[in-house]
Amino acid sequence: MSGSPLVVRSPRLIRLFASAFVLALLLLAAYGCSGFLVFSNGRLLAFITINPSSADPLNFPNNTVSFVATGSFNSLPSPITPLPNVLWTVQAPFFSGGVPNSGQATIDQNGNATCAGGFTGSIQVFATAPADFNQPVSITNQKVGAAQLICP
């Protein structure tokens, strides 16, 4: 019978086709734009806040402000303080590819920031962390929070 549609009646063959279809959908999701949701079970970092949001080092011991990042996630447990795996920078976010640190302030990887001698003004402090903690932080897998360091 040429021209008639293929009719599959074998339950075993139907299960095989259904399994292959589901596997293909999972692979597409894993390598497509929703890959984070597949590998992270849907738990993603939504945003980062930094405490204090603004600080003058003269009001802190050794003229050093200890910034702390808090991560808010799209599912529990949330929020998490201190947020692990944070990359601290001043003047520009870690993956900005733009302005290099001009030396007006420094921050260590524990969030301790100090103003450079002779600099007066305000400079931004950034905390960058992976949106999906099951993957490394990158330009496509990041969330950034910001605060102000006020240098007298």
Side-chain angles (χ1 to χ4, degrees):
M1 286 188 171
S2 67
S4 65
L6 175 64
V7 177
V8 178
R9 296 181 194 258
S10 166
R12 190 172 181 189
L13 195 54
I14 291 171
R15 282 193 302 271
L16 178 66
F17 282 128
S19 298
F21 180 74
V22 169
L23 180 61
L25 285 177
L26 288 173
L27 288 173
L28 283 173
Y31 292 104
C33 62
S34 63
F36 287 148
L37 296 179
V38 172
F39 291 119
S40 68
N41 295 325
R43 186 166 194 269
L44 299 174
L45 179 62
F47 60 90
I48 298 171
T49 55
I50 300 175
N51 191 28
S53 60
S54 179
D56 177 344
L58 291 180
N59 298 324
F60 291 85
N62 301 320
N63 295 332
T64 300
V65 178
S66 294
F67 288 100
V68 177
T70 296
S72 294
F73 290 80
N74 65 344
S75 61
L76 295 176
S78 184
I80 293 179
T81 304
L83 184 64
N85 303 323
V86 171
L87 299 172
W88 290 99
T89 55
V90 292
Q91 198 163 336
F94 191 82
F95 290 104
S96 68
V99 183
N101 182 352
S102 62
Q104 298 167 332
T106 60
I107 192 164
D108 66 20
Q109 287 309 298
N110 295 315
N112 299 312
T114 57
C115 297
F119 173 69
T120 301
S122 178
I123 194 160
Q124 283 193 295
V125 171
F126 296 94
T128 304
D132 177 353
F133 272 69
N134 294 316
Q135 302 292 323
V137 65
S138 68
I139 191 77
T140 58
N141 182 36
Q142 68 171 323
K143 290 293 179 180
V144 179
Q148 292 290 320
L149 180 64
I150 301 166
C151 301

